[in-house]
């Protein structure tokens, strides 16, 4: 897998995790939110290390 493919997959995963986090927050599902937050932080770190600007795509901002 090259960097472009890794970034694309990471962005897709990041978007999905954020959508689920927002839904969990709305439903007050605190344990689900906490579990998703671990994935969110890992994906955010990966994308940052690959030079992806998170400013516009990070809806959670944690």
């Amino acid at each position: 897998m090259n960097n472009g493919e890794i970034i694309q997959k990471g962005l897709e995963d990041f978007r999905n995790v954020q959508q689920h986090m927002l839904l969990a927050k709305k439903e007050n599902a605190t344990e689900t939110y906490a579990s998703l937050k671990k994935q969110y932080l890992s994906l955010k770190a990966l994308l940052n290390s690959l030079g992806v600007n998170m400013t516009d795509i990070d809806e959670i901002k944690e």
Side-chain angles (χ1 to χ4, degrees), residues 3-15:
N3 277 357
E5 292 170 328
I6 293 169
I7 290 171
Q8 181 180 358
K9 175 75 170 117
L11 287 171
E12 290 169 2
D13 291 345
F14 190 73
R15 181 177 56 243

Side-chain angles (χ1 to χ4, degrees), residues 26-44:
K26 180 181 176 182
E27 294 176 347
N28 202 27
T30 55
E31 289 182 37
T32 301
Y33 187 90
S35 176
L36 288 164
K37 186 174 178 182
K38 290 177 184 178
Q39 276 186 291
Y40 162 85
L41 292 173
S42 294
L43 287 166
K44 189 172 181 177

Side-chain angles (χ1 to χ4, degrees), residues 14-28:
F14 190 73
R15 181 177 56 243
N16 288 334
V17 167
Q18 283 192 106
Q19 287 173 350
H20 287 99
M21 286 177 77
L22 292 170
L23 183 59
K25 191 172 190 173
K26 180 181 176 182
E27 294 176 347
N28 202 27

Side-chain angles (χ1 to χ4, degrees), residues 33-58:
Y33 187 90
S35 176
L36 288 164
K37 186 174 178 182
K38 290 177 184 178
Q39 276 186 291
Y40 162 85
L41 292 173
S42 294
L43 287 166
K44 189 172 181 177
L46 171 70
L47 292 169
N48 275 323
S49 74
L50 292 168
V52 176
N53 182 347
M54 305 299 290
T55 305
D56 293 333
I57 62 171
D58 189 359

